[in-house]
Amino acid sequence: MSGYLFAPPKVHSVPVKGETEEYPINRIFCVGRNYAAHAAEMGGEVDRDAPWYFTKSPTAHVASDTTVPYPPGTENFHYEMELALVLGAPVFRADETEAKAAIYGYGCALDMTRRDRQQDGKDHRRPWDLGKDVENSAVMAPLTRASDWHPEGQRIHLEVNGETKQDATLKDMVWTVAEIVSHLSRFYHLSPGDVIMTGTPAGVGPVVAGDKITGGIDGLDPIALTLGDPE
Ligand code: MN
């Protein structure tokens, strides 16, 4: 092979605190209903048998502290504040100890969602792609290495235009990060570059053009996103 017919898509990557090189994104997995209070507000229940997932394309990634257009195809675009973890080693059929050791770092993330399109999917028993795999919907703040930070019940919160909308602690997560990575590794050969967003607490809601979202998890770099006019 002598090359490609066109330039390959650009690699999306995330800065790492204290590093000059960035973390390149391969896949983005998202955990559904990992906080009981959020599951309840969505009219569902936590499935305590096993975690479950949906995915976003790596091209859905956008850096924190940017302005993105209000997306097409929705009239109910929601924020979801989440803890993201990123892997630094291959994991397949890993126990929880191996799974935890494979985590490279953590960061604040937003899982932006077309809630109306997600609801269509639920109503018609169809996939969630139009609701979840949205361009500019996987927002990631700079990462902190796992050697410098570990989830142990820190506060997780989100504000819209300065008003608090989500306020919980990581203790409220149904599945721990080690349980999630271990479980997901039964289905995928997970590898460096794979990102897992670990679910959102209660308090999700809509944003409109002009709104500024800010969020944080104690000890991690904060996240922000501004909604611009629709394209
Ligand atoms: Mn989510």
Side-chain angles (χ1 to χ4, degrees):
M1 191 178 78
S2 60
Y4 300 107
L5 285 168
F6 52 89
K10 79 160 186 163
V11 173
H12 284 253
S13 60
V14 191
V16 180
K17 210 180 337 189
E19 301 284 342
T20 53
E21 291 164 329
E22 299 207 338
Y23 182 95
I25 297 174
N26 182 25
R27 293 177 287 195
I28 303 174
F29 299 94
C30 303
V31 180
R33 291 183 197 153
N34 200 27
Y35 291 76
H38 171 63
E41 77 179 348
M42 299 307 294
E45 280 179 28
V46 168
D47 186 340
R48 296 194 185 262
D49 295 333
W52 53 273
Y53 313 90
F54 55 89
T55 58
K56 289 175 184 273
S57 305
T59 50
H61 163 262
V62 67
S64 178
D65 273 319
T66 48
T67 298
V68 301
Y70 190 91
T74 182
E75 292 175 356
N76 197 18
F77 193 48
H78 275 211
Y79 54 80
E80 294 189 358
M81 178 68 203
E82 311 210 357
L83 170 68
L85 67 87
V86 302
L87 295 178
V91 257
F92 182 58
R93 293 181 180 146
D95 64 25
E96 288 173 29
T97 304
E98 295 163 335
K100 195 170 164 187
I103 297 174
Y104 173 86
Y106 299 92
C108 289
L110 297 172
D111 164 15
M112 300 300 295
T113 301
R114 289 185 182 109
R115 193 70 71 201
D116 39 6
R117 299 293 78 81
Q118 182 192 25
Q119 189 61 45
D120 291 344
K122 291 179 181 180
D123 291 346
H124 300 284
R125 305 184 68 81
R126 291 174 187 158
W128 287 7
D129 298 55
L130 294 181
K132 287 295 193 178
D133 193 8
V134 181
E135 292 169 354
N136 300 315
S137 74
V139 190
M140 293 185 67
L143 301 169
T144 297
R145 295 186 64 128
S147 50
D148 297 327
W149 188 92
H150 187 75
E152 47 189 15
Q154 293 92 337
R155 180 176 177 235
I156 177 171
H157 58 95
L158 177 143
E159 305 80 36
V160 178
N161 304 325
E163 185 183 332
T164 300
K165 301 289 190 181
Q166 294 186 282
D167 198 348
T169 81
L170 299 179
K171 278 203 175 68
D172 299 331
M173 288 170 65
V174 175
W175 303 101
T176 66
V177 293
E179 287 169 336
I180 291 165
V181 174
S182 171
H183 180 263
L184 193 58
S185 80
R186 296 188 220 160
F187 301 89
Y188 294 92
H189 292 78
L190 297 172
S191 60
D194 289 339
V195 174
I196 304 176
M197 294 191 178
T198 60
T200 196
V204 300
V207 283
V208 296
D211 281 347
K212 177 161 189 185
I213 300 167
T214 53
I217 298 171
D218 289 349
L220 296 179
D221 277 15
I223 196 164
L225 185 73
T226 301
L227 272 297
D229 289 333
E231 287 178 305

